[in-house]
Amino acid sequence: MHGGPGSGAAPWWRQFFDPRRYRVVLFDQRGCGHSLPNAAEDLAALENNTTAHLVNDMEALRELLGVEKWLLFGASWGSTLGLSYAVEHPERVSELVLWALVTTRAKDVH
């Protein structure tokens, strides 16, 4: 899961995984990267763009792809999203690999 705001998933993230052992799924979160509508071009894209919406998007993607459990790999804001998804769907997460962690709690931000 990519960081933010709005960066999008970069193909170079694939280098961290052996394609013979892992199915790598890169996705752009709502309003980011190649996702449409893109918030950089249309602020209305932020209307229904909450952590809960993103967690639901991830779960819908997992179901669409037929993935039973997945390793979540995320950086910065993506670490927060990964933790949020794991709290909501612990039975769907095999591992968490998180770097440049942020929790975005008010006390951490300040």
Side-chain angles (χ1 to χ4, degrees):
M1 291 128 329
H2 64 76
S7 64
W12 62 265
W13 280 46
R14 294 179 178 278
Q15 72 182 331
F16 296 106
F17 297 93
D18 181 347
R20 294 170 296 190
R21 297 189 63 209
Y22 292 94
R23 176 183 180 189
V24 178
V25 177
L26 301 175
F27 70 96
D28 290 331
Q29 299 159 26
R30 286 183 185 211
C32 301
H34 296 287
S35 177
L36 295 175
N38 190 294
E41 299 164 3
D42 181 2
L43 290 179
L46 298 175
E47 257 180 57
N48 296 307
N49 193 342
T50 66
T51 303
H53 284 102
L54 296 172
V55 166
N56 290 338
D57 290 349
M58 289 175 63
E59 182 59 7
L61 179 61
R62 184 199 62 75
E63 289 177 353
L64 178 72
L65 297 175
V67 174
E68 184 178 336
K69 286 187 173 189
W70 52 7
L71 178 156
L72 300 180
F73 180 81
S76 190
W77 160 249
S79 70
T80 304
L81 182 55
L83 287 168
S84 297
Y85 180 91
V87 166
E88 289 295 317
H89 303 284
E91 72 286 354
R92 299 296 183 200
V93 178
S94 59
E95 298 97 3
L96 284 168
V97 178
L98 308 173
W99 50 287
L101 264 68
V102 296
T103 61
T104 64
R105 295 178 302 185
K107 69 180 186 175
D108 296 332
V109 172
H110 295 295

